[in-house]
Amino acid sequence: MIVDCAIYRDGRRTEGPEDFSDALAEARAAGGFVWIGLHEPSEREFGLVTEEFGLHPLAVEDALKAHQRPKLEVYDDSLFMVLKPVQYEPESDVVTTDEVMVFLGDAFVVTVRHGEGAALRGVRRRLEKDPEILEKGPTAVLYAICDDVVDHYLDVASELQTDLEELEAEVFSPDQGGSRHTASRIYTFKRQILEFRRATVPLMPPLTRLAGLGTAGLAVPFVHQKARPFFRDVNDHLARVNESVEGLDRLVSDILSAHLAQMSVRQNDDMRKISAWAAMAAVPTMIAGIYGMNFDHMPELHWVWSYPAVIVVMAVLEVLLYRTFKRRGWL
């Protein structure tokens, strides 16, 4: 559906005609631009926008189907960029991604959202409160959207770091480190980091290009040259996010390895204890087995004190074995 549609002149919002073609013509005549916001539009709704703004059919197909990687594509009449905002629920340790597609032209911006967590209402309001930036045209809208998405990446990375520290403390806790659910939690957390990386890592090349840091620093059509320093700032923030994500991924892998090693050591300790108790049980079993044989000629077989003597010998041997194993840390 169409969420919002407005014409911006000199950084100020004005309500334009309902017809997209008339709105675009009016914006061009006034030296402004029109910004149309769409949320999960149908083919019929988006067909109207496509026809009026001359959007490329391949980009339109991507915008309708969603499930795209972050990218930047340049067509004859417009620029097409895909971003993936990220949401994180600390209670459930779940990372979810939405999608924002931006079509940028000489006098228009069309934003297409997929998902409930990618609202651009806050971005639009902040821009409308800062006419000095908004008067820079469609480039200002693209910068504001990129900046908002990447800034939220920083927040998510910080929340993931906090939860990972809690998970690390749990793994190395003597009470909970051996929980059979710990390995599952670590693996699930690693999957969430992977989902986060799918949103942040592919976005680096498009932002590098917008910042003028790509091959030979070539200019990007429909993007104002003076906006490069702003995109470089966003690019720097994204680089910090990617470094943080890589660090989290390595740390989770190390924690998983440490947990598995910890479990292996505990299993070895258990086996050592079991072996020690089995050795202690073997001594009286051996003595009882020998004296349980039905031979007439056995030492002390018919002695009156044979039974208590054997019991005492068994007890002494058990005490000696127990103290030996205890001293070596096997029990």
Side-chain angles (χ1 to χ4, degrees), residues 279-290:
M280 293 174 62
V283 172
T285 301
M286 180 188 66
I287 296 175
I290 292 174

Side-chain angles (χ1 to χ4, degrees), residues 23-318:
L24 181 59
E26 183 177 331
R28 283 174 174 164
F33 68 96
V34 58
W35 181 1
I36 299 174
L38 304 170
H39 179 235
E40 298 182 355
S42 63
E43 290 188 18
R44 186 186 64 83
E45 291 174 333
F46 203 58
L48 298 175
V49 178
T50 302
E51 181 180 353
E52 298 298 339
F53 293 93
L55 305 180
H56 197 280
L58 292 178
V60 171
E61 182 181 359
D62 290 344
L64 286 174
K65 291 184 177 180
H67 303 294
Q68 304 295 316
R69 297 176 77 249
K71 61 181 180 179
L72 177 66
E73 295 180 350
V74 178
Y75 298 101
D76 293 336
D77 299 322
S78 63
L79 184 74
F80 178 62
M81 187 170 185
V82 179
L83 302 100
K84 295 180 77 70
V86 171
Q87 308 295 324
Y88 179 60
E89 295 295 335
E91 294 79 11
S92 57
D93 294 341
V94 174
V95 171
T96 57
T97 57
D98 302 306
E99 290 187 40
V100 173
M101 285 84 167
V102 183
F103 293 88
L104 202 72
D106 60 336
F108 68 87
V109 178
V110 178
T111 54
V112 182
R113 295 192 296 110
H114 289 272
E116 297 300 326
L120 299 176
R121 188 177 299 107
V123 176
R124 190 186 286 262
R125 288 176 178 173
R126 284 195 297 273
L127 281 174
E128 290 177 352
K129 292 179 180 179
D130 194 348
E132 186 176 348
I133 294 180
L134 193 55
E135 69 180 1
K136 305 301 181 183
T139 302
V141 177
L142 180 62
Y143 158 72
I145 294 174
C146 293
D147 187 56
D148 182 75
V149 170
V150 173
D151 281 349
H152 195 61
Y153 285 167
L154 290 169
D155 296 336
V156 173
S158 177
E159 293 175 355
L160 285 171
Q161 179 67 43
T162 300
D163 286 356
L164 184 58
E165 290 173 357
E166 295 176 358
L167 183 59
E168 184 179 18
E170 177 183 332
V171 167
F172 292 101
S173 169
D175 299 329
Q176 302 180 4
S179 173
R180 58 185 177 182
H181 301 296
T182 303
S184 176
R185 278 200 61 197
I186 297 173
Y187 184 75
T188 301
F189 199 88
K190 189 173 180 65
R191 293 280 300 179
Q192 304 312 311
I193 293 177
L194 177 61
E195 186 70 20
F196 191 25
R197 290 188 66 176
R198 288 173 179 168
T200 63
V201 174
L203 185 59
M204 180 60 76
L207 281 180
T208 300
R209 188 176 176 186
L210 290 171
L213 302 175
T215 305
L218 296 177
V220 179
F222 310 107
V223 176
H224 201 283
Q225 293 290 327
K226 293 184 179 180
R228 284 186 173 186
F230 297 94
F231 284 110
R232 280 200 291 270
D233 180 66
V234 179
N235 189 68
D236 289 341
H237 290 174
L238 183 61
R240 287 171 48 197
V241 171
N242 285 333
E243 290 174 359
S244 177
V245 171
E246 290 179 4
L248 289 173
D249 187 56
R250 288 195 300 268
L251 187 56
V252 170
S253 298
D254 292 342
I255 290 175
L256 180 58
S257 298
H259 173 68
L260 295 177
Q262 196 176 42
M263 294 296 294
S264 178
V265 169
R266 290 184 179 182
Q267 289 176 352
N268 290 336
D269 288 341
D270 292 340
M271 289 301 299
R272 189 165 53 186
K273 291 178 181 179
I274 293 172
S275 299
W277 285 111
M280 293 174 62
V283 172
T285 301
M286 180 188 66
I287 296 175
I290 292 174
Y291 276 88
M293 293 185 293
N294 296 321
F295 295 115
D296 290 333
H297 303 288
M298 293 184 66
E300 313 301 337
L301 186 64
H302 299 288
W303 185 37
V304 176
W305 299 101
S306 296
Y307 179 75
V310 170
I311 296 298
V312 170
V313 169
M314 289 182 180
V316 170
L317 290 176
E318 290 295 296

